[in-house]
Amino acid sequence: MERQTLTMTGRSVALNPEQTAHCLNCETGCCTLFEVQATQEEAEAIMRLAVPGAPKTFEECFTPSTDRPGEFVMRKGSDGRCVFADGRLCAIHKRHGMAAKPLSCRIFPLHIQPWADGGLSAELRFICPSVGLPGGTPLGERTDEILRFARQLGLRRGVNDCIYSRANPAPLGKVRLVHAGFRQLLRNRELPLKLRLYAAARILDFHDRKEMFGAIQNADEEFAADLAAFVEKARPELERELGRGRCDALVRSEFRSLLCGYLRDDRPEDAALSRRLRRALSHLRVFSGVGALTELNPAAPPVSMLLFPAVGRVPEFSPEAVAVFEMFFFGKLDSMHFCGTKIQRFDYVTGLRHLLHSAPCAFAMAAAFAVARDRKRVEFADMHRAVRLLDFTFGRSPFFRMRLARKWIDNLARPRRFAGLLNQVFR
């Protein structure tokens, strides 16, 4: 299915219908990864239930939310799990069923976002280990559920809005017209992935010029067709430019800096100065190759950063590995959950560049998992682990709100540099 939107009861939902998920009742523990939000009504309803093993007072179970006035956060026990957890399962769910849990629990790993123009988008977050596994329910078959959840959410999470770029602040309506063209290009499997990525970066760079200001402001319904015609006509020149790309020391340095950012998962408890200093030291050790990637994130492959980015060219990639990457990449692309005021505060250009970078990052990281086990073929599990690591950067990691990180994103997406990076990662 190649549709970007599925319509039901008069409303469209932008999503990748091929994304899949099903709960594994796994050891990961959703409540260890995030703060579990609950409205006052939800919290009071839970306190009226008989939940074996749970604390008895409201204050022992809930604390006021720091970022959502009027809401509460479920407290966690010494094991890092919600106080209502019963081992690896939810005691509320076991005793009273799914409907008794807060909406934020019931909805995970769905990410549903209303937009300022009335649009609605959804994706499955690969932070959950069940997303992307065979046998799950396709997202395209869950539109009834998505719309029901969207009505229950209302505007609790706020609406997302987006401009094209800071230099060219075209509004969301124009952004959508431009996005239709980029989406069509990046989903065009008749072109090699490396060429699609380079062409998108090249066009973004072209539109970033001051003289192109009016082109975005005046974009219309023909923009996607015009962009496709341009890529077809310019393909020989794009291929020549891509072939001339060289990966110099600066490109390797900026790519490794981004990789360190991808591996960071700065949780609220990491805000303390001592933890921030330790994190910065680990970042420097990993970047320089003194420490393995696992020093920054235990879920990373146990290899040196000095292998990157060329490690991506070492193994071959199984069709299953490529397929799970596409499920991740197109999930972000189709939902536009790579940009906006609710997505790292990225404007469209910065967000799309960040998404483009996720491709060489994912392929290099997946290859590193294979190389660490002395294998010459990247399998599904390697890529699945890689995209799970990357998914944090599109919503949670504050690293990418830093001006320096955005500078790396923009610099590395410049055509000559990006071509050199792609040539190092892809055969």
Side-chain angles (χ1 to χ4, degrees):
M1 297 174 69
E2 292 291 323
R3 292 173 291 172
Q4 182 186 12
T5 59
L6 295 173
T7 303
M8 188 164 292
T9 65
R11 193 158 190 194
S12 296
V13 185
L15 50 75
N16 174 9
E18 297 175 352
Q19 282 193 317
T20 60
H22 63 287
C23 185
L24 302 174
N25 292 325
C26 67
E27 294 288 352
T28 300
C30 314
C31 55
T32 65
L33 296 174
F34 300 97
E35 290 186 336
V36 180
Q37 302 275 350
T39 64
Q40 183 167 347
E41 293 77 12
E42 289 172 333
E44 291 174 349
I46 290 171
M47 292 306 300
R48 290 194 293 269
L49 300 174
V51 182
K56 302 303 181 183
T57 69
F58 189 95
E59 290 72 20
E60 290 177 299
C61 296
F62 297 94
T63 184
S65 174
T66 57
D67 58 347
R68 295 181 187 173
E71 294 194 16
F72 295 86
V73 175
M74 288 184 169
R75 289 189 180 275
K76 296 183 180 181
S78 58
D79 60 355
R81 297 201 175 210
C82 172
V83 293
F84 293 101
D86 180 5
R88 68 180 186 180
L89 300 176
C90 173
I92 300 174
H93 191 158
K94 287 173 66 176
R95 189 67 174 263
H96 301 282
M98 169 75 82
K101 298 197 295 185
L103 181 60
S104 58
C105 291
R106 288 183 280 124
I107 203 170
F108 187 81
L110 264 173
H111 175 201
I112 300 173
Q113 185 63 63
W115 290 74
D117 62 354
L120 188 67
S121 55
E123 66 161 331
L124 290 166
R125 299 297 307 276
F126 274 80
I127 295 168
C128 171
S130 77
V131 175
L133 295 182
T137 303
L139 195 55
E141 296 178 10
R142 298 177 62 181
T143 49
D144 276 337
E145 181 184 21
I146 291 169
L147 290 167
R148 184 172 66 253
F149 277 142
R151 286 192 293 270
Q152 294 174 30
L153 277 172
L155 302 179
R156 279 175 58 183
R157 297 180 178 176
V159 297
N160 198 19
D161 200 359
C162 187
I163 59 172
Y164 182 73
S165 71
R166 288 180 173 82
N168 188 354
L172 179 58
K174 297 297 183 181
V175 167
R176 289 202 184 279
L177 294 172
V178 172
H179 178 65
F182 279 107
R183 180 184 175 275
Q184 181 175 293
L185 164 62
L186 290 166
R187 270 192 167 275
N188 182 6
R189 289 187 172 89
E190 294 182 3
L191 300 176
L193 175 60
K194 183 165 70 169
L195 182 59
R196 282 179 266 164
L197 295 169
Y198 176 74
R202 184 70 174 82
I203 294 166
L204 284 173
D205 186 72
F206 180 67
H207 286 168
D208 224 13
R209 299 175 184 176
K210 291 182 179 180
E211 60 268 26
M212 291 302 295
F213 182 87
I216 302 300
Q217 293 285 358
N218 297 323
D220 57 23
E221 299 290 345
E222 299 300 317
F223 185 92
D226 292 343
L227 189 146
F230 167 79
V231 172
E232 182 179 357
K233 182 177 180 180
R235 179 173 179 176
E237 179 59 25
L238 292 170
E239 290 175 334
R240 282 193 293 271
E241 290 179 6
L242 180 56
R244 291 195 295 264
R246 296 292 179 268
C247 187
D248 58 23
L250 181 58
V251 170
R252 289 193 295 272
S253 174
E254 290 178 338
F255 181 70
R256 290 168 184 171
S257 294
L258 280 182
L259 268 182
C260 285
Y262 275 109
L263 291 174
R264 289 173 55 153
D265 173 21
D266 298 341
R267 305 188 182 207
E269 57 267 28
D270 292 332
L273 179 60
S274 60
R275 293 199 180 197
R276 289 165 59 190
L277 290 174
R278 286 199 296 271
R279 175 73 73 176
L281 179 59
S282 295
H283 191 132
L284 290 173
R285 284 173 53 83
V286 171
F287 174 82
S288 64
V290 174
L293 269 61
T294 46
E295 183 174 329
L296 201 56
N297 190 318
V303 299
S304 169
M305 180 64 80
L306 300 182
L307 292 177
F308 292 87
V311 65
R313 300 189 68 189
V314 176
E316 63 175 307
F317 290 78
S318 70
E320 294 79 12
V322 175
V324 74
F325 165 76
E326 290 182 341
M327 189 182 293
F328 163 80
F329 186 87
F330 293 143
K332 300 289 184 192
L333 181 70
D334 292 351
S335 64
M336 270 179 57
H337 286 182
F338 57 82
C339 66
T341 52
K342 296 296 178 182
I343 313 292
Q344 296 288 34
R345 304 170 192 157
F346 283 154
D347 57 63
Y348 181 83
V349 170
T350 303
L352 185 54
R353 284 173 173 164
H354 188 47
L355 182 63
L356 296 178
H357 289 321
S358 75
C361 282
F363 276 77
M365 194 75 71
F369 278 117
V371 168
R373 297 191 177 186
D374 200 27
R375 288 188 280 104
K376 295 183 179 180
R377 181 180 168 92
V378 174
E379 302 295 349
F380 172 91
D382 301 313
M383 184 63 79
H384 192 247
R385 292 171 71 185
V387 296
R388 288 196 63 215
L389 283 169
L390 302 185
D391 202 16
F392 275 109
T393 73
F394 288 91
R396 175 153 152 171
S397 175
F399 176 83
F400 286 94
R401 296 179 187 176
M402 296 169 55
R403 183 178 300 178
L404 182 59
R406 292 168 186 260
K407 182 178 179 180
W408 286 332
I409 289 172
D410 289 338
N411 286 347
L412 198 56
R414 299 303 176 190
R416 185 173 297 179
R417 293 180 180 181
F418 196 53
L421 172 62
L422 294 175
N423 287 335
Q424 278 286 289
V425 175
F426 297 97
R427 299 185 181 193

